[in-house]
Structure formats: structure tokens, C-alpha cells
């Protein structure tokens, strides 16, 4: 285990989630799967307790802890994309796998984990500041999935 690992709480599907992330995002893998040595609040001895995985190179652990805690938007993965094709691919993978759409480039996967699918053209415009940032921000505020062409048009005035 790495010195710093993000631990995500799942009701019971940490292994399924880890495999989905590994199929969806480059630089993502599934590592060790650990089974519970005894019964625990979320399950029984022998069931998957934790799963080690990476998401775009970030070390994570999924914990099957039962229904006590839920995911919230207070934590999200932000995935930087290069173009509309990449934006669409990730967005559609998450939403198309029983996820839900939200606003301003955010969506949730079927396990409740929040994702920001953010084209670099948007983050670059925000970093530029001034009127460019204001126009890009205003355009973003009207979107669910980010539309790169509309952001570009807003940047150009």
C-alpha cells in the first residue's frame, strides 16, 4: 500500500467499481482483492472487504463497508480531457453505466462517486482570468456535459 491512498466506501460493489474504472480510464488498474477473515458490519467472512486499484495513476482502495455511509459531491475525481471525443467517451461511460448527469461537467457513477469531466480548454480559460474566464464560466454554468465548441465560442467572444 502507498503511503497516501484514497479510500472510497462502497456498500458492497468495490470490486465491480474498480474493474469499471480500470476499463474506462487510462492508467487505471485493479490490484489486490482482500477477503474478510470474519463477519463484519457490511458482510460475511470470505466476502470481498477491500480492493486496491488506481484511477489515472491515483492509488485508491475500495472498502465494502455496508450501507452506513454514502458518497457525496464533497469528493470527486476530476478528469482532464483534451477534446470533445475524450469528454464524450468518459461522460458516456459513466452515465451509460447507470450513472447520473449533473451540471457544469459533473456526473455520478452508479456507486455514487462524483466525477468532473473537464476539457482543458475550460480550465485553461479559467486560469487566464479576466473576460475570457467570465465568458467561459458563464457558458459552463448552462451545461451538463461540457460542450467544447460552445466553450471555445464563448472564449472567442
Amino acid at each position: 500500500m502507498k503511503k497516501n491512498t484514497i479510500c472510497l466506501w462502497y456498500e458492497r460493489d468495490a470490486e465491480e467499481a474498480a474493474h469499471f474504472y480500470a476499463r474506462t480510464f487510462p492508467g487505471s488498474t485493479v490490484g489486490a482483492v482482500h477477503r474478510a477473515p470474519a463477519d463484519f458490519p457490511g458482510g460475511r467472512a470470505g466476502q470481498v472487504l477491500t480492493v486496491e486499484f488506481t484511477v489515472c495513476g491515483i492509488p485508491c482502495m475500495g472498502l465494502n463497508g455496508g450501507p452506513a455511509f454514502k458518497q457525496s459531491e464533497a469528493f470527486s475525481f476530476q478528469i482532464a480531457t483534451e477534446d470533445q471525443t475524450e469528454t464524450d467517451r468518459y461522460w458516456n461511460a459513466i452515465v451509460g453505466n447507470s450513472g447520473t448527469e449533473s451540471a457544469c461537467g459533473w456526473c455520478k457513477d452508479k456507486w455514487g462517486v462524483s466525477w468532473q469531466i473537464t476539457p482543458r480548454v475550460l480550465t485553461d480559460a479559467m486560469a487566464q482570468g479576466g473576460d475570457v474566464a467570465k465568458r467561459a464560466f458563464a457558458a459552463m454554468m448552462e451545461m451538463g456535459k461540457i460542450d467544447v465548441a460552445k466553450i471555445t465560442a464563448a472564449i472567442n467572444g
Side-chain angles (χ1 to χ4, degrees):
M1 180 181 286
K2 303 278 184 185
K3 187 163 187 80
N4 185 5
T5 300
I6 295 169
C7 183
L8 296 168
W9 184 289
Y10 296 86
E11 188 168 331
R12 65 181 166 277
D13 297 326
E15 187 173 15
E16 180 186 352
H19 284 285
F20 172 76
Y21 305 148
R23 285 191 312 272
T24 303
F25 300 103
S28 302
T29 60
V30 178
V33 176
H34 302 281
R35 297 191 175 276
D39 290 353
F40 61 105
R44 301 262 180 234
Q47 291 179 329
V48 173
L49 179 61
T50 62
V51 179
E52 296 173 21
F53 60 97
T54 62
V55 175
C56 296
I58 303 295
C60 301
M61 179 188 343
L63 169 66
N64 285 330
F69 300 109
K70 303 292 182 203
Q71 299 291 333
S72 90
E73 290 81 356
F75 173 86
S76 64
F77 284 101
Q78 184 177 38
I79 304 296
T81 60
E82 299 302 324
D83 54 29
Q84 192 67 54
T85 301
E86 189 178 19
T87 300
D88 292 347
R89 183 171 63 247
Y90 298 145
W91 182 276
N92 295 341
I94 293 167
V95 172
N97 188 44
S98 301
T100 56
E101 297 185 18
S102 191
C104 303
W106 290 60
C107 57
K108 281 187 184 180
D109 66 28
K110 74 182 208 175
W111 303 280
V113 176
S114 290
W115 297 83
Q116 298 177 59
I117 309 301
T118 310
R120 289 188 193 278
V121 67
L122 175 59
T123 54
D124 290 349
M126 297 301 292
Q128 188 172 338
D131 288 340
V132 168
K134 287 179 185 176
R135 291 191 304 268
F137 185 78
M140 176 202 67
M141 292 300 292
E142 298 178 7
M143 297 178 187
K145 176 175 61 176
I146 301 300
D147 183 320
V148 171
K150 288 181 179 176
I151 294 294
T152 302
I155 289 168
N156 294 330

